[in-house]
Short mmCIF file of all heavy atoms in Angstrom, two decimals:
data_model
loop_
_atom_site.label_atom_id
_atom_site.label_comp_id
_atom_site.label_asym_id
_atom_site.label_seq_id
_atom_site.Cartn_x
_atom_site.Cartn_y
_atom_site.Cartn_z
N THR A 905 -259.43 30.31 62.13
CA THR A 905 -259.45 31.05 63.49
C THR A 905 -259.73 32.61 63.23
O THR A 905 -259.06 33.23 62.52
CB THR A 905 -258.14 30.93 64.23
OG1 THR A 905 -258.03 29.55 64.59
CG2 THR A 905 -258.16 31.75 65.54
N ALA A 906 -260.84 33.04 63.83
CA ALA A 906 -261.24 34.40 63.73
C ALA A 906 -262.38 34.79 64.58
O ALA A 906 -262.99 33.83 65.24
CB ALA A 906 -261.59 34.61 62.27
N VAL A 907 -262.86 35.99 64.70
CA VAL A 907 -264.15 36.26 65.23
C VAL A 907 -265.15 36.26 64.15
O VAL A 907 -264.96 36.95 63.11
CB VAL A 907 -264.10 37.75 65.90
CG1 VAL A 907 -265.40 38.07 66.41
CG2 VAL A 907 -263.07 37.80 66.99
N TYR A 908 -266.20 35.53 64.29
CA TYR A 908 -267.22 35.34 63.35
C TYR A 908 -268.50 36.24 63.61
O TYR A 908 -268.87 36.24 64.73
CB TYR A 908 -267.67 33.85 63.24
CG TYR A 908 -266.63 33.03 62.48
CD1 TYR A 908 -265.40 32.72 63.03
CD2 TYR A 908 -266.88 32.62 61.21
CE1 TYR A 908 -264.47 32.05 62.36
CE2 TYR A 908 -265.99 31.73 60.46
CZ TYR A 908 -264.78 31.56 61.07
OH TYR A 908 -263.91 30.80 60.37
N TYR A 909 -268.86 36.97 62.70
CA TYR A 909 -269.90 37.97 62.75
C TYR A 909 -271.13 37.54 61.99
O TYR A 909 -270.93 37.22 60.74
CB TYR A 909 -269.47 39.31 62.39
CG TYR A 909 -268.44 39.90 63.32
CD1 TYR A 909 -267.07 39.89 63.06
CD2 TYR A 909 -268.77 40.72 64.47
CE1 TYR A 909 -266.15 40.34 63.81
CE2 TYR A 909 -267.70 41.19 65.23
CZ TYR A 909 -266.48 41.06 64.87
OH TYR A 909 -265.50 41.65 65.72
N CYS A 910 -272.31 37.68 62.53
CA CYS A 910 -273.56 37.63 61.86
C CYS A 910 -273.91 39.01 61.46
O CYS A 910 -273.82 39.92 62.21
CB CYS A 910 -274.60 36.97 62.74
SG CYS A 910 -276.26 36.83 61.99
N ALA A 911 -274.44 39.15 60.15
CA ALA A 911 -274.87 40.48 59.67
C ALA A 911 -276.15 40.34 58.98
O ALA A 911 -276.55 39.27 58.48
CB ALA A 911 -273.82 41.04 58.72
N ALA A 912 -276.85 41.45 58.98
CA ALA A 912 -278.28 41.50 58.27
C ALA A 912 -278.48 42.72 57.50
O ALA A 912 -277.93 43.75 57.73
CB ALA A 912 -279.31 41.25 59.40
N ARG A 913 -279.40 42.56 56.55
CA ARG A 913 -279.84 43.69 55.75
C ARG A 913 -281.34 43.43 55.40
O ARG A 913 -281.72 42.23 55.29
CB ARG A 913 -279.02 43.94 54.41
CG ARG A 913 -279.01 42.77 53.50
CD ARG A 913 -278.00 43.02 52.33
NE ARG A 913 -278.45 44.21 51.55
CZ ARG A 913 -277.75 44.51 50.38
NH1 ARG A 913 -276.71 43.82 50.00
NH2 ARG A 913 -278.21 45.64 49.70
N THR A 914 -282.06 44.48 55.32
CA THR A 914 -283.51 44.29 55.04
C THR A 914 -283.95 44.90 53.67
O THR A 914 -285.10 44.89 53.43
CB THR A 914 -284.29 45.13 56.10
OG1 THR A 914 -284.01 46.40 56.18
CG2 THR A 914 -284.01 44.44 57.45
N ASP A 915 -283.05 45.41 52.97
CA ASP A 915 -283.24 45.99 51.66
C ASP A 915 -283.08 45.17 50.44
O ASP A 915 -283.06 45.62 49.30
CB ASP A 915 -282.50 47.34 51.53
CG ASP A 915 -281.01 47.12 51.60
OD1 ASP A 915 -280.53 45.97 52.03
OD2 ASP A 915 -280.24 47.98 51.19
N ALA A 916 -282.74 43.86 50.65
CA ALA A 916 -282.50 42.93 49.57
C ALA A 916 -282.85 41.55 50.00
O ALA A 916 -282.69 41.19 51.21
CB ALA A 916 -280.96 42.99 49.16
N TYR A 917 -283.34 40.75 49.02
CA TYR A 917 -283.74 39.33 49.22
C TYR A 917 -282.53 38.55 49.62
O TYR A 917 -282.51 37.69 50.55
CB TYR A 917 -284.42 38.85 47.98
CG TYR A 917 -284.83 37.35 48.19
CD1 TYR A 917 -285.95 37.07 48.84
CD2 TYR A 917 -284.20 36.41 47.43
CE1 TYR A 917 -286.42 35.71 49.02
CE2 TYR A 917 -284.61 35.11 47.52
CZ TYR A 917 -285.63 34.80 48.29
OH TYR A 917 -286.05 33.44 48.34
N TYR A 918 -281.41 38.78 48.85
CA TYR A 918 -280.13 38.10 49.11
C TYR A 918 -279.12 39.13 49.27
O TYR A 918 -278.89 40.11 48.58
CB TYR A 918 -279.86 37.25 47.88
CG TYR A 918 -278.42 36.60 48.02
CD1 TYR A 918 -278.23 35.47 48.88
CD2 TYR A 918 -277.44 37.06 47.17
CE1 TYR A 918 -277.02 34.82 48.92
CE2 TYR A 918 -276.10 36.43 47.30
CZ TYR A 918 -275.92 35.32 48.16
OH TYR A 918 -274.65 34.69 48.24
N GLY A 919 -278.28 38.99 50.43
CA GLY A 919 -277.46 40.12 50.80
C GLY A 919 -276.18 40.20 50.01
O GLY A 919 -275.57 41.31 49.98
N GLY A 920 -275.55 39.09 49.45
CA GLY A 920 -274.39 39.16 48.82
C GLY A 920 -273.11 39.21 49.73
O GLY A 920 -273.19 38.99 50.96
N SER A 921 -272.00 39.41 49.22
CA SER A 921 -270.71 39.22 49.86
C SER A 921 -270.01 40.49 50.32
O SER A 921 -268.93 40.40 50.94
CB SER A 921 -269.80 38.40 48.91
OG SER A 921 -269.50 39.19 47.71
N THR A 922 -270.58 41.58 50.08
CA THR A 922 -269.87 42.82 50.46
C THR A 922 -270.32 43.37 51.81
O THR A 922 -271.61 43.61 52.06
CB THR A 922 -270.25 43.98 49.43
OG1 THR A 922 -269.86 43.51 48.11
CG2 THR A 922 -269.55 45.20 49.75
N SER A 923 -269.50 43.42 52.79
CA SER A 923 -269.87 43.79 54.12
C SER A 923 -270.47 45.09 54.37
O SER A 923 -271.33 45.27 55.15
CB SER A 923 -268.55 43.62 55.03
OG SER A 923 -267.51 44.57 54.62
N THR A 924 -270.07 46.05 53.51
CA THR A 924 -270.59 47.41 53.59
C THR A 924 -272.10 47.43 53.23
O THR A 924 -272.74 48.44 53.56
CB THR A 924 -269.83 48.40 52.81
OG1 THR A 924 -269.73 48.03 51.47
CG2 THR A 924 -268.40 48.55 53.42
N GLN A 925 -272.60 46.42 52.59
CA GLN A 925 -274.00 46.49 52.27
C GLN A 925 -274.93 45.94 53.28
O GLN A 925 -276.13 46.04 53.19
CB GLN A 925 -274.21 45.57 50.93
CG GLN A 925 -273.52 46.07 49.71
CD GLN A 925 -273.96 47.39 49.33
OE1 GLN A 925 -275.22 47.67 49.08
NE2 GLN A 925 -273.12 48.39 49.20
N TYR A 926 -274.40 45.36 54.33
CA TYR A 926 -275.10 44.90 55.47
C TYR A 926 -275.24 46.07 56.49
O TYR A 926 -274.33 46.70 56.90
CB TYR A 926 -274.53 43.80 56.08
CG TYR A 926 -274.61 42.50 55.27
CD1 TYR A 926 -273.74 42.30 54.21
CD2 TYR A 926 -275.68 41.57 55.42
CE1 TYR A 926 -273.78 41.16 53.39
CE2 TYR A 926 -275.78 40.44 54.67
CZ TYR A 926 -274.86 40.18 53.62
OH TYR A 926 -274.95 39.09 52.78
N HIS A 927 -276.38 46.17 57.14
CA HIS A 927 -276.80 47.35 58.03
C HIS A 927 -276.68 46.99 59.42
O HIS A 927 -276.50 47.95 60.33
CB HIS A 927 -278.22 47.80 57.65
CG HIS A 927 -278.44 48.09 56.22
ND1 HIS A 927 -279.55 47.68 55.50
CD2 HIS A 927 -277.66 48.79 55.32
CE1 HIS A 927 -279.46 48.05 54.25
NE2 HIS A 927 -278.30 48.78 54.10
N TYR A 928 -276.74 45.68 59.79
CA TYR A 928 -276.85 45.40 61.21
C TYR A 928 -275.83 44.27 61.45
O TYR A 928 -275.58 43.46 60.64
CB TYR A 928 -278.18 44.88 61.63
CG TYR A 928 -279.28 45.90 61.33
CD1 TYR A 928 -280.08 45.86 60.16
CD2 TYR A 928 -279.48 47.02 62.12
CE1 TYR A 928 -281.07 46.77 59.75
CE2 TYR A 928 -280.53 47.88 61.77
CZ TYR A 928 -281.27 47.82 60.62
OH TYR A 928 -282.20 48.67 60.25
N TRP A 929 -275.18 44.29 62.66
CA TRP A 929 -274.13 43.36 62.96
C TRP A 929 -274.23 42.92 64.36
O TRP A 929 -274.70 43.72 65.27
CB TRP A 929 -272.76 44.03 62.73
CG TRP A 929 -272.42 44.40 61.37
CD1 TRP A 929 -272.80 45.45 60.78
CD2 TRP A 929 -271.65 43.56 60.44
NE1 TRP A 929 -272.37 45.42 59.40
CE2 TRP A 929 -271.60 44.26 59.24
CE3 TRP A 929 -271.03 42.39 60.62
CZ2 TRP A 929 -270.97 43.72 58.08
CZ3 TRP A 929 -270.47 41.86 59.44
CH2 TRP A 929 -270.36 42.51 58.29
N GLY A 930 -273.87 41.59 64.65
CA GLY A 930 -273.83 41.16 65.96
C GLY A 930 -272.55 41.43 66.55
O GLY A 930 -271.59 42.18 66.14
N GLN A 931 -272.40 40.92 67.81
CA GLN A 931 -271.13 41.27 68.61
C GLN A 931 -269.94 40.36 68.28
O GLN A 931 -268.84 40.70 68.71
CB GLN A 931 -271.42 41.14 70.09
CG GLN A 931 -271.43 39.73 70.71
CD GLN A 931 -272.57 38.77 70.23
OE1 GLN A 931 -273.59 39.32 69.65
NE2 GLN A 931 -272.43 37.55 70.62
#
């Protein structure tokens, strides 16, 4: 149980597991 977020980054082929490396977030 949680709020699930989609995140995106455009500076890497594979984004990895660190949330701060993602630049864009859904609601």
Side-chain angles (χ1 to χ4, degrees):
T905 296
V907 176
Y908 283 71
Y909 294 92
C910 178
R913 60 188 296 184
T914 60
D915 60 342
Y917 179 77
Y918 175 74
S921 61
T922 303
S923 62
T924 55
Q925 296 298 306
Y926 290 82
H927 309 133
Y928 307 99
W929 294 84
Q931 82 287 350

